[in-house]
Amino acid sequence: MFFTAAVGIIATMTLALIRALEGPTTFDRILALNMVGTKTTLLITVLGFLTDRPDFLDIALIYALMNFIGAIAVLRYTQYGDFSSERNEGP
Amino acid sequence: MIATALDILSWLLILGGAAFSIVGAIGLLRFPDFYTRLHAAGITDTLGAWMILGGAILQVDSWLVAVKIAFIALFLFFTSPTATHALARAALASGLKPWSRTAEKREP
């Protein structure tokens, strides 16, 4: 059962990676990478069940948070050019 | 009896989740512009993820594992739409125009 889920998740990640390589704009690439990150979280969870080691769930939990922070950081970087900008122009 | 019912429900949820994920990824590949692709990615990030995690949560044997899976689902539930929203806003602010059929006809 979890093997099926893993195959589906890996297929999704492959398709999203093709979009990340192709993507005409930067935002397409960030979107695809964000999706790959979400799927990685799911894949770690499913692998935890496949190998009967529930401690994998902690890693998945951290990965879910890091993925969000990473996506926001890359967005900020593409918008302002640095990570610590205090400027109020733009959105 | 109950174990069999849980197994069947779990199978249904996981197959549904995998199907929604792949459909969303195909949409991500085939849709014409960034904003429509955001819409396709939304399916995999929320519904697909929730169905797979829901299928997993029916197979656990201890409360701790169930609570951890629930937390993963909760984080995904809050962070994916926030990231999608931030992406759409940043793209709009950077001057990316939404695709439309009429614009494509005018300048082929």
Side-chain angles (χ1 to χ4, degrees), chain A residues 1-2 4-5 8 12 15-16 18-19 27-28 31 34-35 38-39 42 49 54 57-58 60-61 65 68 75 91, chain B residues 10-11 14 21-22 25 28-29 34 37-38 44-45 49 53 56 60 65 68-69 72 76 79 83 86-87 89 91 94:
Chain A
M1 165 174 1
F2 289 110
T4 320
T12 311
L15 292 176
I18 293 173
R19 172 51 71 195
F27 300 110
D28 283 304
L31 175 68
N34 192 29
M35 196 163 135
T38 315
K39 290 291 157 278
L42 288 182
F49 276 93
L57 286 177
D58 298 324
L61 204 54
L65 287 175
F68 172 66
L75 262 185
Chain B
S10 192
W11 261 111
I14 283 183
S21 288
I22 295 176
L28 189 73
L29 270 184
F34 170 69
R37 281 177 207 141
L38 269 180
T44 69
D45 277 357
L53 288 175
V60 299
V65 178
K68 275 179 193 166
I69 294 180
I72 294 175
L76 285 183
T79 57
L87 261 169
R89 230 181 125 92
S94 84

Side-chain angles (χ1 to χ4, degrees), chain A residues 39, chain B residues 17 19-21 23-25 38-50:
Chain A
K39 290 291 157 278
Chain B
F20 271 118
S21 288
V23 164
L38 269 180
H39 165 70
I43 293 180
T44 69
D45 277 357
T46 47
L47 189 58
W50 266 60

Side-chain angles (χ1 to χ4, degrees), chain B:
Chain B
M1 179 61 203
I2 285 186
T4 321
L6 279 183
D7 268 358
I8 291 172
L9 198 58
S10 192
W11 261 111
L12 283 181
L13 279 173
I14 283 183
L15 282 183
F20 271 118
S21 288
I22 295 176
V23 164
I26 293 173
L28 189 73
L29 270 184
R30 290 192 46 92
F31 273 163
D33 89 324
F34 170 69
Y35 297 100
T36 45
R37 281 177 207 141
L38 269 180
H39 165 70
I43 293 180
T44 69
D45 277 357
T46 47
L47 189 58
W50 266 60
M51 282 178 92
I52 290 179
L53 288 175
I57 213 171
L58 293 177
Q59 297 288 318
V60 299
D61 37 18
S62 78
W63 276 105
L64 184 65
V65 178
V67 167
K68 275 179 193 166
I69 294 180
F71 265 114
I72 294 175
L74 195 70
F75 282 139
L76 285 183
F77 182 71
F78 280 116
T79 57
S80 301
T82 314
T84 307
H85 177 79
L87 261 169
R89 230 181 125 92
L92 207 59
S94 84
L96 195 64
K97 289 270 184 302
W99 173 85
S100 72
R101 228 175 262 281
T102 52
E104 197 183 54
K105 266 182 199 153
R106 240 180 282 128
E107 34 187 328

